[in-house]
């Protein structure tokens, strides 16, 4: 296969003395195809076979539209909140030394390590009306569990480390000289942070936002317990896929999945654009 | 709280360093951080254990020793013990291809490997349902040969492999790219063959990164919920992993038992975090040098 | 603006970086702080800027005590070694930054800021690059932007930390001449840090030689080169040869030979310093330095010979004319023309 691709002036692979290229590339492609590409292609093929009308019928169904709106809306709000607090958390972890900092730094990764179902039932028990937090909010008339607010809280949980871990390393690399330069030019600390440091972090912050958002849109386990899953109110798109599957409505499930995939890939594309743009313009990415 | 920060504020007019915030701002930011993480991360974690022991240790252990719970634990271990080694092998092989060679389409291949990260877990399960269900191309053939994939252990393993697919490769690729190929070229020039070079030169260089990737891969494999939930069929004692068992118990209002099983998973998460932190403390420079997270 | 540093000591975590340093900088002067790394020159520069505060001592701007003033209040133009340009801002926004962050009452209008920034870019010969980002500039161009940015705030003093340190040799030389021209035009009081003696000697009105947290000598380039006042300055600036000698009754002795050089040091061991090229060969006199040639090589227009003096332990170099028939193992007698003797350290 490699020799077929090799034409004059165009080389598939740069020559190397290191052995095993054909074998490892072959294995990588085969495994990738078996586990990821063929199953995903099946989904694309299946949704294509629905035809435009069949697809549109599912896509325009008010329940589908509402579920997508709720998924993307809550994910967006949660990612925004994560950007604000994630940047503060990253700043505190990078800049300040205080007892317990290492523990705090480690615990930021909890959402990566804690199974989503566990997070889901724990958050639900906290925000239920007799839970530790729920009972404080109850007298104020704020209902969290079984509302979009509950969904947002679960999505804040799963998305936080994406923002912190994207921004943190870039923050660590800020040269002290840059802050000093701003100060010698007369900028006070607030101006230095808002006009020099944060704009410099903008590509990292945008990437962190996109990652948290993408993850939150597809999130299932931590959300379904706290959401209450009322159609049109607190039913998320991944749950609707599961419901359609349980109804053996494979066409419906496939169509919703295809829409979500499309939107997720668009997100991925946007992330790559941000990084390419930032690298071209400022000479650094994230 | 005693802060280890440069001394400032003592007399009326003091010189203030140019690159730090005022003490008040520092305290406020630390307070916001602690409050936010306390509310969103710490309290849920603590509540798992509190809820699990709500009715005392006897109930707690009873919930863990009950046959369905034991079956769920066994299945979870089995799934992880299958999916993680397979993805480990894939990760090392893929990283070798991508990091040690220059070829066309390398960036695209890297993107494809990352693909499962951007797919909703539910969709990761769905693709296997579509592939193996009785309506699919493969379904009837499998059925006629008596092979069960869906609503059985193979399906659960496949879905888990899908969602944990990129973990090891993702950790190793930047690490191996950073290390370059000079060590391998030196070994080859000294007469080592390819396998000896990998075993004696490459592997020792990447072992900590590898362990790091395996750790994260394992945590996700044992805790995966959405994808597994779609393909498992929720058959008690047979196709329920621990997270699925937690869901069933919770939906049956058996909260203590649900949190008891959940506490095992939370413990797994804590162990993962501790090991991960230790790895970062000891080999942080190596791991960070390469990571592009 | 006159700047005076008075009795300054600086410690970092109890580690002393500067000991009792005093320095007067006159208005309009171009001063070089010259020394090896770790000599405290950058610390001194940062203390003047207000980026560090002295453990003891004071910094005066004119008659005003600036020690407690923050860096923002001091109004100094600081050019960092790696320029520290704001990478997300265009060139013109970098230059205008100092004016934009002024409080409302003293901030020029945005057209005025743009006009002044363009003028400065013109002045540093970068017109046409206004819309570029720092990543799109060469090292020399970044250096000019950094200088324009520092000058935009009309600083009371310009401070430059290793301004040419990150540039390659050719660009360094160009920028060195250019900085001198800029200084002659603007007459800004300027202090720059360097470890490169050629740079210091060529550019500065006065050179401050530093070592181990102390000022060794302050003087014009001629003074520090021709009349070094310490063994350190002798060996750090230019080339020097050193011979261990003995003082007896106001005369220098090497073993049992008189060198024909006088000294007013008290009797005892001492070190004789001189420039290798600044020697006169003498024909067989008893008051001179005698040596045996052990190596000889041609350096440019002169010949450099390595001599063994009074036993194998002492070897020095001197410069002689290229046509001198110096051969290995032949003897040479010479006397330094300019020299200094310091008590043996």
């Amino acid at each position: 296969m490699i020799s077929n691709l090799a034409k004059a002036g165009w080389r598939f692979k740069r020559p190397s003395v290191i052995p095993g290229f054909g074998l490892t590339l072959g294995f990588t492609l085969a495994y990738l195809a078996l586990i990821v590409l063929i199953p995903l292609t099946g989904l694309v093929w299946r949704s294509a076979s629905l035809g435009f009308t069949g697809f549109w019928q599912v896509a325009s169904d008010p329940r589908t539209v509402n579920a997508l709106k709720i998924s993307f809306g809550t994910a967006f709000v949660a990612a925004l909140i994560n950007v604000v607090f994630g940047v503060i958390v990253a700043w505190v972890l990078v800049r300040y030394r205080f007892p317990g900092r290492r523990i705090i730094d480690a615990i930021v990764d909890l959402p990566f390590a804690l199974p989503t179902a566990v997070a889901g039932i724990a958050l639900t028990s906290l925000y239920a009306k007799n839970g530790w937090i729920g009972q404080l909010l109850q007298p104020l008339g704020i209902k969290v569990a079984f509302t979009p607010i509950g969904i947002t809280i679960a999505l804040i949980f799963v998305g936080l480390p994406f923002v912190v871990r994207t921004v943190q390393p870039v923050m660590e690399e800020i040269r002290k000289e840059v802050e000093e330069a701003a100060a010698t030019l007369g900028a006070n600390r607030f101006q230095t942070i808002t006009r020099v440091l944060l704009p410099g972090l903008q590509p990292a912050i945008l990437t962190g936002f996109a990652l948290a958002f993408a993850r939150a849109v597809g999130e299932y386990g931590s959300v379904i317990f706290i959401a209450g899953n009322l159609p049109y109110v607190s039913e998320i798109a991944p749950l609707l896929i599961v419901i359609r599957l349980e109804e053996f409505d494979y066409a419906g499930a496939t169509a919703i999945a295809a829409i979500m995939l499309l939107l997720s890939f668009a997100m991925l594309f946007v992330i790559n654009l941000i990084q390419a743009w930032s690298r071209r313009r400022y000479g650094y990415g994230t | 709280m005693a802060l280890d920060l440069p001394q400032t504020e003592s007399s009326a007019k003091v010189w203030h360093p140019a690159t730090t915030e005022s003490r008040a701002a520092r305290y406020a930011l630390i307070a916001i951080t602690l409050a936010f993480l306390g509310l969103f991360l710490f309290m849920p974690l603590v509540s798992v254990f509190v809820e699990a022991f709500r009715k005392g240790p006897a109930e707690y252990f009873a919930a863990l020793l009950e046959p369905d719970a034991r079956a769920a634990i066994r299945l979870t271990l089995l799934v992880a013990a299958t999916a993680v080694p397979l993805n480990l092998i894939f990760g090392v092989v893929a990283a070798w291809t991508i990091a040690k060679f220059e070829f066309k389409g390398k960036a695209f291949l890297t993107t494809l490997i990352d693909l499962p990260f951007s797919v909703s877990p539910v969709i990761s399960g769905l693709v296997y349902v579509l592939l193996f269900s009785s309506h699919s191309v493969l379904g009837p053939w499998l059925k006629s040969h008596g092979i069960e994939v869906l609503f059985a252990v193979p399906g659960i393993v496949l879905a888990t492999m899908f969602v944990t697919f990129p973990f090891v490769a993702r950790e190793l690729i930047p690490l191996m790219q950073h290390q370059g190929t000079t060590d391998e070229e030196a070994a080859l020039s000294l007469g080592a063959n390819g396998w000896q070079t990998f075993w004696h030169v490459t592997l020792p260089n990447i072992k900590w990164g590898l362990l790091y990737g395996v750790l994260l891969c394992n945590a996700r494999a044992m805790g995966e919920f959405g994808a597994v939930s779609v393909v498992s069929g929720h058959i008690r004692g047979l196709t329920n992993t621990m997270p699925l068992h937690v869901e069933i118990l919770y939906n049956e209002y058996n909260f203590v038992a649900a949190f008891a099983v959940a506490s095992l998973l939370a413990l797994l998460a804590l162990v993962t975090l501790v090991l991960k932190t230790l790895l970062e403390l000891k080999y942080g420079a190596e791991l960070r040098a390469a990571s592009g997270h | 603006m006159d700047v005076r540093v008075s009795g300054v000591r600086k410690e970092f975590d109890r580690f002393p970086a500067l000991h009792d340093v005093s320095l007067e900088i006159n208005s309009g002067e171009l001063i070089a702080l010259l020394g090896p790394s770790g000599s405290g020159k950058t610390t001194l520069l940062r203390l003047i800027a207000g980026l560090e505060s002295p453990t003891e001592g004071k910094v005066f701007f004119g008659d005003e005590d600036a020690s407690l003033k923050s860096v923002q209040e001091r109004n100094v133009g600081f050019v960092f070694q790696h320029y520290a340009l704001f990478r997300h801002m265009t060139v013109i926004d970098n230059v205008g930054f100092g004016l934009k962050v002024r409080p409302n009452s003293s901030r020029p209008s945005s057209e005025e800021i743009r006009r002044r920034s363009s003028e400065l870019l013109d002045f540093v010969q970068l017109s046409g690059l206004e819309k570029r980002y720092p990543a799109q500039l060469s090292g020399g161009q970044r250096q000019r932007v950094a200088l324009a940015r520092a000058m935009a705030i009309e600083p009371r003093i310009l401070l430059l930390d290793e301004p040419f340190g990150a540039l390659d040799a050719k660009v360094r030389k160009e920028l060195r001449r250019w900085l001198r021209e800029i200084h002659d035009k603007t007459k800004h009081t300027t202090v720059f840090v360097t470890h490169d003696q050629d740079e210091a000697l060529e550019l500065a009105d006065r050179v401050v030689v530093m070592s181990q947290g102390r000022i060794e000598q302050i003087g014009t380039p001629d003074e520090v080169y021709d009349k070094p006042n310490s063994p350190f300055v002798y060996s750090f600036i230019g080339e020097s040869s050193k011979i261990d000698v003995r003082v007896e009754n106001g005369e220098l002795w090497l073993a049992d030979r008189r060198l024909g050089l006088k000294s007013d040091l008290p009797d005892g061991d001492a070190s004789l310093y001189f420039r290798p090229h600044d020697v006169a060969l003498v024909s067989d006199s008893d008051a001179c330095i005698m040596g045996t040639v052990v190596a000889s090589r041609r350096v440019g227009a002169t010949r450099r010979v390595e001599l063994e003096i009074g036993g194998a332990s002492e070897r020095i170099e001197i410069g002689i004319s290229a046509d001198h028939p110096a051969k290995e193992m032949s003897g040479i007698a010479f006397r330094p023309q300019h020299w200094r003797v310091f008590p043996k350290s």
Side-chain angles (χ1 to χ4, degrees), chain B residues 233-285:
Chain B
H234 301 91
I235 307 163
R236 265 194 130 132
L238 281 179
T239 63
N240 264 351
T241 60
M242 286 166 77
L244 298 180
H245 193 58
V246 168
E247 183 198 18
I248 290 185
L249 292 170
Y250 190 86
N251 287 342
E252 288 170 349
Y253 302 102
N254 192 350
F255 293 138
V256 168
F259 277 102
V261 179
S263 75
L264 284 187
L265 291 167
L267 218 54
L268 166 77
L270 286 178
V271 170
T272 304
L273 286 187
V274 169
L275 290 178
K276 180 173 171 296
T277 308
L278 287 180
L279 271 181
E280 282 165 352
L281 281 182
K282 266 195 117 158
Y283 307 100

Side-chain angles (χ1 to χ4, degrees), chain A residues 106-125:
Chain A
I107 204 105
V108 166
D109 280 332
L110 182 71
F112 283 157
L114 191 71
T116 52
V118 178
I121 63 170
L123 287 171
T124 312
S125 79

Side-chain angles (χ1 to χ4, degrees), chain B residues 199-257:
Chain B
W199 195 253
H200 294 294
V201 176
T202 310
L203 198 60
N205 277 340
I206 60 169
K207 58 175 186 261
W208 299 117
L210 192 64
L211 189 56
Y212 194 88
V214 166
L215 205 61
L216 298 178
C217 182
N218 179 64
R220 182 70 193 265
M222 290 194 173
E224 179 50 31
F225 179 71
V228 169
S229 162
V230 172
V231 295
S232 106
H234 301 91
I235 307 163
R236 265 194 130 132
L238 281 179
T239 63
N240 264 351
T241 60
M242 286 166 77
L244 298 180
H245 193 58
V246 168
E247 183 198 18
I248 290 185
L249 292 170
Y250 190 86
N251 287 342
E252 288 170 349
Y253 302 102
N254 192 350
F255 293 138
V256 168

Side-chain angles (χ1 to χ4, degrees), chain B residues 163-181:
Chain B
V163 293
T164 59
F165 184 82
F167 277 98
V168 178
R170 218 184 138 74
E171 207 55 54
L172 288 187
I173 290 169
L175 184 66
M176 282 167 73
Q177 269 172 340
H178 184 76
Q179 287 172 348
T181 55

Side-chain angles (χ1 to χ4, degrees), chain A residues 165-174 200-201 204 284-286, chain C residues 87:
Chain A
R165 295 302 184 221
T166 312
V167 173
Q168 199 176 3
V170 186
M171 238 176 216
E172 266 162 5
E173 272 163 32
I174 295 177
L201 292 172
Y284 63 98
T286 49
Chain C
R87 53 189 187 171

Side-chain angles (χ1 to χ4, degrees), chain A residues 196-210:
Chain A
V196 176
L197 299 184
L198 289 180
L201 292 172
Q202 194 183 313
I205 292 175
L206 276 175
T207 306
F209 173 85

